Amino acid sequence: MLHEAMCVILALMATSLPAGNASAADRTNDVIAAALADPARPATDTVRDANRKPAETLAFAGVKRDDKIADYAAGAGYFTRLFAGVAGPRGHVYASVPSALFEYPNIVKGIAEIETYAITHPNVTVTFASALDAVKYPEKIDVFWISQNYHDLHDRFMGPVDMAAFNRTVYAALKPGGVYLVLDHVAANGSPADVTDTLHRIEPSTVRREVEAAGFKFEGESTLLANPLDPHTAGVFDASIQGRTDQFILKFRRPAK
């Protein structure tokens, strides 16, 4: 049933594409559906699918077979596992973990889970380094993905990170034409700078300003995970809103030339 539902969603999405791209889109949609239906996905992942809408999210990101994908601050590997299924044996996923996150027990547990997964999935490499060095890979990548962690880069425990240097490093890591995806929790307009630490949120306009300053071109925003009922006044781990926050997905591209 789940696999059939995913196929229907992805097929509907493909109908909006130009005819010349339909065949490639269909193949990619089938690959995404297969990655989601993989019986090896743990229950801790599949139970989150309803809220995270991974089929539509991966389609918006444009990930495809043979891609080289960076999953930055990969957590317990929810997206790492999906990316690995989509990229396939000729693609590769770099699950990079900034060392500043090691102080959190849940992060350490998640790292262990990804490392165990990588043992049986040779197209996954887990790396550990400083916030900036964790953006450096042994080859140019097609997609750089950061989910619910961009805001953390502004916080003291992460450095804070020099965001201009960070985004320039992402730019250098990507192939010309490569995609930079930022998914995060929405902060209210005009929020104080420390909202990234107090509520674990960030204004989309802040992300756009910082990323575009590095030379990226804004390609679009998805409202797949938007929730207009989120008052934006509670922290994202507050029981009143956890798992239902208003979230944005911004897509940027390194110019092809």
Side-chain angles (χ1 to χ4, degrees):
M1 292 290 290
L2 176 62
H3 177 70
E4 292 174 357
M6 289 297 180
C7 288
V8 169
I9 291 170
L10 292 166
L12 289 172
M13 292 164 63
T15 60
S16 65
L17 294 171
N21 295 332
S23 179
D26 288 344
R27 289 194 297 271
T28 296
N29 290 342
D30 288 344
V31 167
I32 292 174
L36 286 165
D38 184 351
R41 294 183 70 213
T44 49
D45 280 7
T46 57
V47 73
R48 303 175 71 188
D49 287 349
N51 287 338
R52 305 200 83 166
K53 300 181 181 179
E56 300 96 320
T57 299
L58 267 62
F60 175 74
V63 294
K64 59 188 182 302
R65 209 65 164 174
D66 304 335
D67 270 354
K68 308 299 190 297
I69 305 169
D71 187 7
Y72 185 87
Y78 176 93
F79 282 109
T80 297
R81 285 181 279 272
L82 291 176
F83 290 149
V86 171
R90 293 189 300 179
H92 206 86
V93 182
Y94 296 97
S96 53
V97 183
S99 52
L101 297 176
F102 292 173
E103 65 180 274
Y104 298 96
N106 62 316
I107 297 295
V108 174
K109 180 177 181 293
I111 292 169
E113 292 176 10
I114 302 176
E115 288 184 306
T116 299
Y117 178 82
I119 291 172
T120 55
H121 293 77
N123 67 337
V124 175
T125 298
V126 185
T127 62
F128 314 99
S130 68
L132 278 181
D133 285 342
V135 190
K136 298 174 182 177
Y137 309 99
E139 61 183 328
K140 293 289 187 180
I141 58 174
D142 297 284
V143 179
F144 182 88
W145 171 273
I146 180 169
S147 173
Q148 300 179 342
N149 286 103
Y150 188 95
H151 70 271
D152 286 323
L153 299 171
H154 291 72
D155 296 339
R156 184 178 301 175
F157 82 96
M158 288 287 282
V161 175
D162 179 336
M163 293 309 300
F166 180 87
N167 286 312
R168 286 196 303 267
T169 306
V170 175
Y171 190 98
L174 282 162
K175 298 175 182 177
V179 170
Y180 183 3
L181 267 293
V182 182
L183 185 162
D184 218 323
H185 308 280
V186 176
N189 291 336
S191 293
D194 67 353
V195 72
T196 58
D197 188 28
T198 58
L199 301 184
H200 300 280
R201 298 173 179 265
I202 191 167
E203 291 187 57
S205 59
T206 299
V207 178
R208 278 201 62 175
R209 182 176 66 253
E210 293 177 348
V211 174
E212 289 180 274
F216 285 97
K217 301 301 180 184
F218 178 64
E219 192 153 283
E221 178 176 5
S222 171
T223 58
L224 280 168
L225 303 180
N227 178 12
L229 300 181
D230 181 353
H232 305 110
T233 54
V236 302
F237 302 112
D238 189 289
S240 66
I241 200 65
Q242 186 173 12
R244 303 183 307 281
T245 57
D246 186 18
Q247 296 175 64
F248 61 87
I249 313 174
L250 302 182
K251 185 175 184 178
F252 305 89
R253 190 176 297 276
R254 173 177 170 169
K257 295 182 180 180

